[in-house]
Amino acid sequence: MNDVALSVLDLVPVRSGQTSAEAIAASLALAATADRLGYRRYWFAEHHNMPAVASTTPPVLIAAAAPHTSRIRLGSGGVMLPNHAPLIVAEQFAALEAIAPGRIDLGLGRAPGSDPVITQLLRGSGTTSDVEQFPRHVQDIAALFTADGATVRFTSGGEYTVRATPAATGVPEVWLLGSSDYSAQLAASLGLPYVFANHFSGQGLERALDLYRTNYRPSEEHPEPRTFLTVNAVAAPTAEEAEARALPQLRMMARLRLNQPLVALETVEQALAAEHDAATDQVVQAARSRWFVGTGESVAAEVRSFAATYGVDEVMLSPVAGAYDAEPKDSAAGRAQTLELVAGA
């Protein structure tokens, strides 16, 4: 797919009977596969307290993926900034830039990435937890990356300079993530690249892109608006296998939407054997209509059409293929197959 750049978003899924160690090993192997296939970037999400998701700490996973890759950009999709002090985020990603120079992306999001209880635990640390400070904290991080650093001004009139790292030779590329008008307008006002989380919602995509492009204020680093989109994708040798591999994640989405207890991701066999109910089927069908599921050729065609419709030259795939019972627990066979087939098409 030389006409559209491909990237990967990884939530590090944990399936039934799989340990966190096995899930992370599978994702590190998948990152190496994406690197070999020529994907542009590989981002880890931030989610908390979910039995089916081991992607809780993007900086740690990026550091782990760095020695498994050599070319692909590594990043966060994203760091949920209200959960963290801006200085810590800047220090972590400045260190990652030193580990993998020229290959680090910092995607920043405003959502909590979990339920209200976990949100309170993450944000119970004073003023840094104030979500209303998100725009200023984004700017603070950008300043902390620079050679001049950020300046703290005291009420007494004194100043104090803070830097994320003492002698940087490069800086991570900062992206703003979101699925709302707010994030699109903020990215435009700050002159930052913007990613719409289409894989999660899909609602309001056209309006968000129009707001971003229409209101964009050029910055020195980014004179033109720059954006790409995310999609859930499953590719397999046959359409039937692709639909079967999509079912575990579709059923997990239904659990989320219906506020049902969360569990580890089902295997394909477990999902196929599960009892059906009208509410779950309705959510599954609605989600499936927005996913790209089929053979490598059909998914590649959908990606091309999607990119052309929304005027982007890059699409980030969230490879959501489930696993069969017999597949090794420390491998991501179905997800790797998706990346192989789509890239090959």
Side-chain angles (χ1 to χ4, degrees):
M1 290 191 62
N2 296 328
D3 47 346
V4 181
L6 295 172
S7 294
V8 181
L9 175 65
D10 190 357
L11 276 66
V12 191
V14 183
R15 71 178 188 265
S16 176
Q18 190 181 37
T19 66
S20 297
E22 290 166 336
I24 290 173
S27 281
L28 295 180
L30 189 65
T33 297
D35 188 47
R36 172 177 58 81
L37 292 172
Y39 280 72
R40 179 175 288 179
R41 55 186 107 237
Y42 196 102
W43 285 7
F44 293 98
E46 178 185 335
H47 292 284
H48 302 280
N49 201 42
M50 299 178 71
V53 177
S55 183
T56 58
T57 174
V60 172
L61 295 168
I62 293 166
H68 292 265
T69 58
S70 62
R71 176 205 54 80
I72 197 168
R73 295 188 67 87
L74 302 169
S76 57
V79 166
M80 299 296 103
L81 184 52
N83 297 341
H84 312 281
L87 175 59
I88 296 300
V89 174
E91 287 178 333
Q92 289 171 339
F93 278 79
L96 289 169
E97 176 66 25
I99 291 170
R103 293 204 289 135
I104 301 300
D105 294 330
L106 170 55
L108 294 170
R110 183 170 173 262
S114 190
D115 59 70
V117 174
I118 298 299
T119 299
Q120 284 299 109
L121 291 173
L122 289 167
R123 298 182 180 178
S125 57
T127 54
T128 60
S129 63
D130 185 357
V131 71
E132 299 306 320
Q133 297 298 316
F134 180 71
R136 182 171 65 83
H137 289 166
V138 171
Q139 294 172 294
D140 287 346
I141 288 174
L144 287 163
F145 283 142
T146 65
D148 293 335
T151 301
V152 177
R153 291 180 174 82
F154 301 109
T155 54
S156 61
E159 294 185 349
Y160 189 84
T161 301
V162 185
R163 296 180 179 85
T165 192
T169 56
V171 298
E173 185 167 72
V174 177
W175 291 75
L176 209 59
L177 282 57
S179 57
S180 67
D181 293 355
Y182 174 91
S183 57
Q185 291 172 320
L186 179 61
S189 69
L190 298 179
L192 288 174
Y194 173 62
V195 181
F196 184 88
N198 180 71
H199 72 287
F200 182 73
S201 170
Q203 304 299 317
L205 170 57
E206 292 185 13
R207 175 174 168 81
L209 290 183
D210 182 63
L211 284 171
Y212 173 65
R213 289 164 171 159
T214 301
N215 299 306
Y216 189 77
R217 297 178 184 175
S219 60
E220 183 177 345
E221 298 83 0
H222 304 286
E224 300 289 336
R226 185 181 176 196
T227 186
F228 65 79
L229 305 174
T230 62
V231 297
N232 292 305
V234 180
T238 66
E240 291 76 17
E241 180 186 333
E243 295 291 348
R245 285 191 181 272
L247 191 56
Q249 280 283 3
L250 285 167
R251 284 175 51 78
M252 183 58 65
M253 289 298 297
R255 283 183 172 274
L256 282 167
R257 297 283 188 250
L258 298 172
N259 292 316
Q260 295 174 347
L262 299 182
V263 297
L265 195 66
E266 295 170 324
T267 63
V268 173
E269 288 90 345
Q270 289 171 332
L272 290 170
E275 293 185 5
H276 290 253
D277 65 81
T280 296
D281 288 347
Q282 184 176 6
V283 176
V284 164
Q285 291 167 11
R288 169 62 186 88
S289 68
R290 297 190 297 270
W291 291 17
F292 296 177
V293 180
T295 64
E297 290 78 9
S298 70
V299 172
E302 286 189 273
V303 168
R304 290 192 190 95
S305 176
F306 182 71
T309 297
Y310 294 105
V312 297
D313 63 0
E314 180 178 350
V315 174
M316 178 170 275
L317 307 181
S318 179
V320 289
Y324 286 93
D325 287 336
E327 291 174 352
K329 291 186 173 67
D330 61 352
S331 75
R335 295 192 292 148
Q337 178 176 255
T338 292
L339 299 190
E340 293 265 8
L341 291 174
V342 177

